[in-house]
Amino acid sequence: MSAILDVDEHLQLLSSFLWLEMVWDNPFIRWNPEECEGITKISVATKNLWLPDIFIVEFMNVDKTPKGLTAYVSNEGRIRYKKPMKVTSICNLDIFYFPFDQQNCTLTFSSFLYTVENMLLGMEKEVWEIADTSRDIVQTHGEWELLGINKATPKMSVGTSLYDQIMFYVAIRRRPRLYIINLLVPSGFLVAIDALSFYLPAESGNRAPFKITLLLGYNVFLLMMNELLPTNGTPLISVYFALCLSLMVVSLLETIFITYLLHLATSQPPPMPQWLHSLILYCTSPTKCCPTALQKRNKAMGLPPAHLPGVKEPVELVGNMPGPRETELNGCPGSTKAQQEDETQKQHLVDLWVQFSHMMDTLLFRLYLLFMTTSVVTVIVLWNT
């Protein structure tokens, strides 16, 4: 095998260039060199010789062997015939591990007319010699490289006839550098930028537009690079791209959720449940879960209990806020004090909801990183296997 011309994943075809060398003995073509001026080898046109009808079982095209070839005949009747062949053969391609895939194609040589009773096939050279020679003379340095060649000698049974054949297993491997540079690296950069965009302040309102722009850019990238992907089957790289796209969509949904929470907290904060308030206190400062010690410390500082976030729940504070009628009925000093307490309690409730929003943002970001890391490691492990 001197060249690997093309591998068509859609049609499942391997195009290669072969040098086929056949040797056989013809007892009817012999002479004595002493009677022929010492001539031991002559060249004869193939049209004047009997040629074995050897064909390739997987061959899927018309034989375009050049006409007018010659063969060498020795004085002992041994004929050596070499011919170049451009072979388009069918190959069962498995593209799941694209672009890190290895393919194992077969080239089966057999006779079309002669059974094992009339023709037997053998090897003049060892298969490792053929493999080493093929690797040395391969002239193409494109997408595929030749790994090795092995052989088997099964018999082919057609009805009651048995045919001898030699089956070569040609192992080839794709060079993935083109796809790593054009597909995997840009996709990895876009996903990394999407993960880093979580560090943009959620209150600024710039995170969601940035993620939308990034998502649109990733879709344009997939459309542009679609020609490099196999058109049949579902390779692992397609699952990887779908996973990256899903991560970016989930990231955008998380940003929308956090933006909604912040908007709700700053515009119309609802009463906070007691369990949620306790959870926030526990997550931010576990010492606040001990209100007795906190009350003693604040009492020594002269602070009123109503201003302590750990003493009364926001639900109780909001529920005991004076209404407009009560404010009108009270005197001016009391009304001013009630308004101040109302504003303080409302601001405290807003701070709690904002703090909860930041906690949710941090939690979802960590879950996002965990899922992204697990998915990427899984894909890499599958590629390595």
Side-chain angles (χ1 to χ4, degrees):
M1 177 175 288
S2 60
I4 301 173
L5 303 178
D6 186 31
V7 176
D8 193 330
E9 293 90 354
H10 179 65
L11 299 178
Q12 300 279 298
L13 295 177
L14 168 67
S15 297
S16 57
F17 195 84
L18 307 179
W19 282 94
L20 178 61
E21 180 177 359
M22 294 185 291
V23 180
W24 68 95
D25 292 331
N26 190 336
F28 301 102
I29 308 179
R30 291 181 180 178
W31 67 89
N32 188 356
E34 297 178 356
E35 298 177 357
C36 300
E37 299 182 358
I39 296 175
T40 59
K41 184 169 64 174
I42 61 174
S43 59
V44 181
T46 54
K47 65 179 181 179
N48 298 322
L49 294 173
W50 174 87
L51 299 177
D53 60 327
I54 301 298
F55 76 104
I56 300 177
V57 177
E58 294 85 2
F59 200 71
M60 298 297 294
N61 205 344
V62 179
D63 189 3
K64 297 180 180 180
T65 303
K67 304 297 181 181
L69 297 178
T70 59
Y72 290 98
V73 183
S74 68
N75 63 306
E76 297 177 351
R78 172 155 293 188
I79 303 175
R80 188 176 297 272
Y81 173 51
K82 298 180 181 180
K83 69 173 182 177
M85 298 178 62
K86 182 182 176 181
V87 178
T88 301
S89 58
I90 190 169
C91 181
N92 187 16
L93 301 175
D94 183 9
I95 61 170
F96 180 74
Y97 295 103
F98 173 90
F100 304 99
D101 53 333
Q102 297 182 10
Q103 307 297 338
N104 192 10
C105 300
T106 58
L107 295 172
T108 306
F109 294 84
S110 181
S111 174
F112 185 75
L113 296 176
Y114 300 101
T115 61
V116 293
E117 299 175 355
N118 300 315
M119 180 182 293
L120 295 176
L121 302 180
M123 296 284 295
E124 186 183 33
K125 297 180 180 179
E126 295 293 335
V127 67
W128 62 268
E129 295 182 273
I130 299 176
D132 291 343
T133 305
S134 299
R135 279 192 292 264
D136 293 338
I137 66 174
V138 164
Q139 300 174 359
T140 55
H141 300 281
E143 185 179 354
W144 295 89
E145 62 176 328
L146 179 64
L147 294 181
I149 300 176
N150 293 315
K151 77 173 182 71
T153 55
K155 305 294 182 181
M156 181 176 63
S157 178
V158 180
T160 58
S161 302
L162 193 63
Y163 296 87
D164 199 9
Q165 60 182 9
I166 298 179
M167 182 180 295
F168 292 96
Y169 298 95
V170 181
I172 58 177
R173 179 173 59 195
R174 193 192 305 266
R175 291 187 175 96
R177 183 179 304 173
L178 171 69
Y179 302 97
I180 292 176
I181 295 175
N182 292 301
L183 293 178
L184 297 181
V185 172
S187 178
F189 281 158
L190 290 174
V191 174
I193 293 174
D194 181 70
L196 292 176
S197 65
F198 277 96
Y199 289 98
L200 292 174
E203 298 89 345
S204 64
N206 295 326
R207 187 194 290 182
F210 180 80
K211 287 183 175 292
I212 293 175
T213 305
L214 204 62
L215 184 60
L216 292 176
Y218 192 77
N219 280 279
V220 173
F221 162 75
L222 291 180
L223 290 176
M224 293 176 60
M225 295 301 163
N226 191 39
E227 296 180 357
L228 295 177
L229 297 176
T231 56
N232 65 320
T234 305
L236 190 58
I237 193 171
S238 298
V239 179
Y240 168 75
F241 286 150
L243 184 62
C244 292
L245 187 63
S246 302
L247 286 172
M248 298 177 75
V249 171
V250 170
S251 171
L252 178 60
L253 294 177
E254 188 270 347
T255 300
I256 294 174
F257 175 67
I258 297 301
T259 304
Y260 170 75
L261 283 181
L262 290 173
H263 174 73
L264 190 66
T266 54
S267 58
Q268 294 179 350
M272 180 169 287
Q274 183 176 359
W275 64 268
L276 185 57
H277 185 205
S278 302
L279 179 63
I280 293 176
L281 293 178
Y282 177 79
C283 294
T284 54
S285 179
T287 57
K288 293 183 180 181
C289 292
C290 303
T292 305
L294 190 62
Q295 290 178 14
K296 292 181 180 179
R297 186 182 64 182
N298 291 319
K299 185 176 180 181
M301 296 175 62
L303 296 176
H307 290 187
L308 302 180
V311 177
K312 291 187 177 181
E313 300 297 334
V315 179
E316 299 177 2
L317 293 174
V318 175
N320 295 329
M321 288 192 297
R325 300 282 301 175
E326 297 180 19
T327 304
E328 294 178 359
L329 295 175
N330 292 334
C332 293
S335 300
T336 304
K337 185 177 180 181
Q339 289 178 358
Q340 292 177 352
E341 291 182 356
D342 185 17
E343 291 296 330
T344 302
Q345 294 168 2
K346 185 176 181 180
Q347 184 61 37
H348 176 60
L349 185 59
V350 169
D351 293 340
L352 287 176
W353 277 109
V354 170
Q355 191 175 12
F356 171 71
S357 301
H358 287 297
M359 289 174 54
M360 289 297 299
D361 190 21
T362 303
L363 176 63
L364 293 177
F365 174 56
R366 292 177 179 177
L367 292 176
Y368 173 85
L369 287 181
L370 178 62
F371 182 72
M372 181 180 67
T373 305
T374 305
S375 303
V376 172
V377 169
T378 303
V379 171
I380 291 176
V381 168
L382 288 176
W383 264 326
N384 288 334
T385 56

